[in-house]
Amino acid sequence: TTRKTSTHIIVTVSDNGKGIPTERLAHIFEPFYTTKAPGRGTGLGLSVSHRIIKQHGGSIQVDSQVGTGSVFTVTLPIN
């Protein structure tokens, strides 16, 4: 979903997947952090996304429940 406030654009992406265990949440934006098997990912996707969003003055947050899914919220300033 997307919405606009007077100062920000907010984009929310959610899924009903496996979710992210609490002990992994603290690491998901770290470069090269991955839980995938070797050769299946570099662990750069969320790290690069986080950096781009921060460079544009925004933020990205995640809420996840194992067995329920995850919700990522990106907030970007309008300016």
Side-chain angles (χ1 to χ4, degrees):
T1 62
T2 59
R3 65 186 168 104
K4 178 183 172 188
T5 70
S6 61
T7 57
H8 292 86
I9 297 291
I10 302 163
V11 179
T12 303
V13 179
S14 61
D15 67 35
N16 58 356
K18 296 188 286 185
I20 305 167
T22 304
E23 63 273 8
R24 292 185 179 165
L25 277 175
H27 303 285
I28 64 171
F29 297 115
E30 294 175 6
F32 305 108
Y33 180 78
T34 183
T35 59
K36 294 179 182 176
R40 301 283 300 168
T42 61
L44 289 175
L46 286 174
S47 173
V48 170
S49 298
H50 182 262
R51 185 170 188 150
I52 291 169
I53 292 163
K54 288 296 234 181
Q55 287 176 337
H56 284 84
S59 66
I60 182 170
Q61 296 164 326
V62 62
D63 180 33
S64 189
Q65 301 292 321
V66 173
T68 302
S70 301
V71 178
F72 285 83
T73 303
V74 176
T75 303
L76 294 168
I78 300 173
N79 57 7

